[in-house]
Amino acid sequence: MAWPLLFWHISSNIAEIAAVKLVLFQAAPGAEILPGVLSDRGVIDISAAVKKSYTPQLTMQGIIEDFDRLHPALEKLADEGVSLPLASVRLRPPLPRPGKILACIANYWEHAQREARPLNMFMKNPDAVIGPGDTIVLPEFTVPWIFMHEAELALVIKGPAKMVKARDWKSAIFGYTAMIDVSAREQGRRTWPASPLTSWLGKSFDTFAPIGPCIATADEIKDPNDLIVRFWNDGQLRHNYNTDDMEHRVPRLVEFATTVMTMNSGDLIACGTNHEGLGALQDGETVDIEIQNIGKMALKVSDPLKRKWERGIYMGADSTNPNAVQRHRPQANPISTGG
């Protein structure tokens, strides 16, 4: 069976190097979820070369922990193994149930002329993970006034990692993937619940953590703070930024997170987003996220309540989009108030 082309796409149009990319996939509807390597030839099943565990998540964690030994064999399989055409398989989230998802609050300059804000993070529900070709389902809950997308680079941890200094950050990074931090908003673009701000539950509804399409291993990305992140909604480009705009760069994120808690293999740190491209998600839309040297994936959006919002980039009074800033705050510096 050929899977619909709409629901997956591994992009090479902005890739600069041939990366080793790990995936989880199904060869047929209802089939077992298997580990694989993605190459220009398609998807290569690597299940015979790795240790199978009780769940696909644990299998991928085992690959991460044993990767130094497995790497030569996986590279050989990528070059010589029997490949399945990408159109014949269904990619699944490469980490379907991470132990932890830590996500940065804000963390991009967004043209602001100010001191860097204190680094802060929140925990996102690991059960909210979905993957390529899946559907973001907006909840039947009407307190949030809108639901928005945030396209983000996510760090895949190799652990256990605790008290890692910024200078040693590479020791804790296995690789990288893409994440959409879907967010319920209450006041402007403030995450629900906004008053009082006691949690970030508005980012943890089911299906609100799409990740994928793969894990690009760390040795394939020269600098995680020099990657282009793009996001389209029904073909309209919204997010389009470089990760060099981070206020707190990847080494600092690793140090901060591992100072607070032990990060284990397969955990994720989402690096935050540039909010200048925020916009609504609504019923029937197709969204695509692409990160340079990682890949591109597409998902659908469904809303049982069929709510409607203005299409396009959010241009409210608290938007950091340059055009909105000029409209609402022509003499003020851009502000950022939400994650």
Side-chain angles (χ1 to χ4, degrees), residues 86-113:
L86 194 50
S88 72
V89 306
R90 171 76 180 272
L91 295 184
R92 308 305 301 169
L95 292 164
R97 212 298 185 180
K100 293 185 286 295
I101 303 175
L102 273 177
C104 292
I105 298 173
N107 197 38
Y108 277 79
W109 288 107
E110 302 171 27
H111 294 92
Q113 302 299 314

Short mmCIF file of all heavy atoms in Angstrom, two decimals, residues 86-113:
data_model
loop_
_atom_site.label_atom_id
_atom_site.label_comp_id
_atom_site.label_asym_id
_atom_site.label_seq_id
_atom_site.Cartn_x
_atom_site.Cartn_y
_atom_site.Cartn_z
N LEU A 86 10.04 5.18 0.21
CA LEU A 86 9.43 6.00 1.25
C LEU A 86 7.91 6.05 1.10
O LEU A 86 7.17 6.08 2.09
CB LEU A 86 10.03 7.40 1.20
CG LEU A 86 9.77 8.31 2.39
CD1 LEU A 86 10.11 7.64 3.70
CD2 LEU A 86 10.55 9.60 2.23
N ALA A 87 7.43 6.01 -0.15
CA ALA A 87 5.98 6.07 -0.40
C ALA A 87 5.26 4.81 0.07
O ALA A 87 4.03 4.82 0.19
CB ALA A 87 5.72 6.29 -1.88
N SER A 88 6.01 3.75 0.38
CA SER A 88 5.37 2.50 0.77
C SER A 88 5.30 2.30 2.26
O SER A 88 4.75 1.30 2.73
CB SER A 88 6.13 1.32 0.14
OG SER A 88 7.40 1.14 0.78
N VAL A 89 5.86 3.22 3.05
CA VAL A 89 5.87 3.06 4.50
C VAL A 89 5.17 4.24 5.17
O VAL A 89 4.96 5.28 4.55
CB VAL A 89 7.31 2.93 5.04
CG1 VAL A 89 8.06 1.80 4.34
CG2 VAL A 89 8.08 4.24 4.94
N ARG A 90 4.84 4.05 6.44
CA ARG A 90 4.28 5.12 7.27
C ARG A 90 5.28 5.44 8.36
O ARG A 90 5.59 4.58 9.20
CB ARG A 90 2.96 4.67 7.88
CG ARG A 90 2.37 5.62 8.94
CD ARG A 90 1.75 6.85 8.33
NE ARG A 90 1.20 7.74 9.36
CZ ARG A 90 -0.04 7.67 9.85
NH1 ARG A 90 -0.86 6.71 9.43
NH2 ARG A 90 -0.46 8.53 10.75
N LEU A 91 5.82 6.65 8.35
CA LEU A 91 6.71 7.07 9.42
C LEU A 91 5.90 7.36 10.67
O LEU A 91 4.81 7.92 10.62
CB LEU A 91 7.50 8.31 9.01
CG LEU A 91 8.48 8.16 7.85
CD1 LEU A 91 9.26 9.45 7.65
CD2 LEU A 91 9.43 6.99 8.07
N ARG A 92 6.46 6.98 11.81
CA ARG A 92 5.87 7.23 13.10
C ARG A 92 6.75 8.22 13.87
O ARG A 92 7.88 8.49 13.46
CB ARG A 92 5.74 5.91 13.89
CG ARG A 92 5.03 4.80 13.13
CD ARG A 92 3.67 5.19 12.63
NE ARG A 92 2.80 5.60 13.73
CZ ARG A 92 1.62 6.18 13.57
NH1 ARG A 92 1.18 6.46 12.34
NH2 ARG A 92 0.89 6.52 14.60
N PRO A 93 6.29 8.78 14.98
CA PRO A 93 7.18 9.66 15.73
C PRO A 93 8.44 8.90 16.15
O PRO A 93 8.34 7.77 16.63
CB PRO A 93 6.35 10.08 16.95
CG PRO A 93 5.19 9.15 16.99
CD PRO A 93 4.96 8.66 15.61
N PRO A 94 9.62 9.48 15.96
CA PRO A 94 10.85 8.74 16.25
C PRO A 94 11.05 8.48 17.74
O PRO A 94 11.80 7.57 18.10
CB PRO A 94 11.94 9.65 15.70
CG PRO A 94 11.34 11.01 15.68
CD PRO A 94 9.88 10.81 15.39
N LEU A 95 10.39 9.25 18.59
CA LEU A 95 10.39 9.02 20.04
C LEU A 95 8.93 9.11 20.50
O LEU A 95 8.45 10.17 20.89
CB LEU A 95 11.26 10.06 20.76
CG LEU A 95 12.76 9.94 20.49
CD1 LEU A 95 13.48 11.21 20.91
CD2 LEU A 95 13.34 8.72 21.20
N PRO A 96 8.19 8.00 20.45
CA PRO A 96 6.74 8.06 20.64
C PRO A 96 6.30 8.36 22.07
O PRO A 96 5.16 8.80 22.28
CB PRO A 96 6.25 6.68 20.19
CG PRO A 96 7.45 5.81 20.22
CD PRO A 96 8.63 6.68 19.97
N ARG A 97 7.17 8.11 23.05
CA ARG A 97 6.79 8.40 24.43
C ARG A 97 8.05 8.75 25.22
O ARG A 97 8.51 7.96 26.06
CB ARG A 97 6.07 7.21 25.06
CG ARG A 97 4.99 7.53 26.11
CD ARG A 97 5.54 8.25 27.31
NE ARG A 97 4.54 8.44 28.35
CZ ARG A 97 4.81 9.05 29.50
NH1 ARG A 97 6.02 9.54 29.73
NH2 ARG A 97 3.87 9.20 30.42
N PRO A 98 8.64 9.93 24.97
CA PRO A 98 9.85 10.30 25.71
C PRO A 98 9.57 10.40 27.20
O PRO A 98 8.45 10.73 27.62
CB PRO A 98 10.23 11.67 25.12
CG PRO A 98 9.03 12.14 24.38
CD PRO A 98 8.19 10.97 24.05
N GLY A 99 10.59 10.11 27.99
CA GLY A 99 10.41 10.20 29.44
C GLY A 99 10.08 11.60 29.88
O GLY A 99 9.26 11.81 30.78
N LYS A 100 10.72 12.59 29.26
CA LYS A 100 10.49 13.99 29.61
C LYS A 100 10.58 14.84 28.35
O LYS A 100 11.39 14.57 27.46
CB LYS A 100 11.56 14.49 30.60
CG LYS A 100 11.50 13.86 31.98
CD LYS A 100 12.49 14.49 32.93
CE LYS A 100 13.94 14.09 32.68
NZ LYS A 100 14.19 12.67 32.90
N ILE A 101 9.74 15.87 28.30
CA ILE A 101 9.88 16.94 27.32
C ILE A 101 10.01 18.24 28.09
O ILE A 101 9.05 18.69 28.73
CB ILE A 101 8.69 17.02 26.35
CG1 ILE A 101 8.47 15.70 25.62
CG2 ILE A 101 8.91 18.16 25.35
CD1 ILE A 101 7.23 15.69 24.74
N LEU A 102 11.19 18.82 28.07
CA LEU A 102 11.40 20.15 28.63
C LEU A 102 11.36 21.14 27.48
O LEU A 102 11.95 20.89 26.42
CB LEU A 102 12.76 20.25 29.33
CG LEU A 102 12.84 19.82 30.79
CD1 LEU A 102 14.29 19.92 31.27
CD2 LEU A 102 11.95 20.69 31.66
N ALA A 103 10.68 22.25 27.66
CA ALA A 103 10.54 23.22 26.58
C ALA A 103 10.85 24.62 27.08
O ALA A 103 10.39 25.02 28.17
CB ALA A 103 9.13 23.16 25.99
N CYS A 104 11.60 25.36 26.30
CA CYS A 104 11.98 26.72 26.68
C CYS A 104 10.80 27.68 26.54
O CYS A 104 10.00 27.57 25.60
CB CYS A 104 13.12 27.22 25.79
SG CYS A 104 14.68 26.37 26.07
N ILE A 105 10.72 28.60 27.47
CA ILE A 105 9.74 29.67 27.39
C ILE A 105 10.39 30.82 26.60
O ILE A 105 11.42 31.36 27.00
CB ILE A 105 9.33 30.14 28.79
CG1 ILE A 105 8.65 28.99 29.55
CG2 ILE A 105 8.39 31.35 28.70
CD1 ILE A 105 8.35 29.30 31.00
N ALA A 106 9.78 31.15 25.47
CA ALA A 106 10.31 32.20 24.58
C ALA A 106 11.69 31.77 24.07
O ALA A 106 11.80 30.83 23.32
CB ALA A 106 10.32 33.55 25.27
N ASN A 107 12.77 32.50 24.42
CA ASN A 107 14.16 32.17 24.11
C ASN A 107 14.64 32.65 22.75
O ASN A 107 15.71 32.24 22.30
CB ASN A 107 14.44 30.66 24.24
CG ASN A 107 15.94 30.36 24.34
OD1 ASN A 107 16.68 31.12 24.98
ND2 ASN A 107 16.39 29.29 23.71
N TYR A 108 13.91 33.54 22.08
CA TYR A 108 14.42 34.14 20.85
C TYR A 108 14.37 35.66 20.96
O TYR A 108 13.47 36.24 21.56
CB TYR A 108 13.62 33.66 19.63
CG TYR A 108 14.11 32.32 19.13
CD1 TYR A 108 13.75 31.14 19.77
CD2 TYR A 108 14.98 32.24 18.04
CE1 TYR A 108 14.23 29.90 19.34
CE2 TYR A 108 15.46 31.01 17.60
CZ TYR A 108 15.09 29.86 18.24
OH TYR A 108 15.57 28.65 17.81
N TRP A 109 15.36 36.31 20.34
CA TRP A 109 15.47 37.77 20.43
C TRP A 109 14.33 38.48 19.71
O TRP A 109 13.83 39.50 20.17
CB TRP A 109 16.80 38.24 19.84
CG TRP A 109 17.98 37.90 20.69
CD1 TRP A 109 18.92 36.94 20.46
CD2 TRP A 109 18.37 38.52 21.93
NE1 TRP A 109 19.86 36.91 21.47
CE2 TRP A 109 19.55 37.88 22.37
CE3 TRP A 109 17.83 39.56 22.70
CZ2 TRP A 109 20.21 38.24 23.56
CZ3 TRP A 109 18.48 39.92 23.87
CH2 TRP A 109 19.64 39.26 24.29
N GLU A 110 13.96 38.01 18.53
CA GLU A 110 12.84 38.58 17.78
C GLU A 110 12.99 40.10 17.59
O GLU A 110 12.05 40.86 17.79
CB GLU A 110 11.51 38.23 18.47
CG GLU A 110 11.32 36.72 18.62
CD GLU A 110 10.13 36.34 19.49
OE1 GLU A 110 9.18 37.12 19.57
OE2 GLU A 110 10.17 35.24 20.08
N HIS A 111 14.18 40.50 17.20
CA HIS A 111 14.49 41.91 16.91
C HIS A 111 14.45 42.81 18.14
O HIS A 111 14.49 44.03 18.00
CB HIS A 111 13.53 42.48 15.84
CG HIS A 111 13.69 41.83 14.50
ND1 HIS A 111 12.94 40.75 14.11
CD2 HIS A 111 14.52 42.12 13.48
CE1 HIS A 111 13.30 40.38 12.88
NE2 HIS A 111 14.25 41.20 12.48
N ALA A 112 14.38 42.25 19.34
CA ALA A 112 14.28 43.08 20.54
C ALA A 112 15.64 43.65 20.92
O ALA A 112 16.66 42.96 20.84
CB ALA A 112 13.73 42.27 21.71
N GLN A 113 15.65 44.91 21.32
CA GLN A 113 16.85 45.57 21.81
C GLN A 113 16.74 45.65 23.34
O GLN A 113 16.17 46.58 23.90
CB GLN A 113 16.98 46.97 21.20
CG GLN A 113 17.03 46.97 19.68
CD GLN A 113 18.21 46.19 19.13
OE1 GLN A 113 19.33 46.36 19.61
NE2 GLN A 113 17.97 45.34 18.15
#
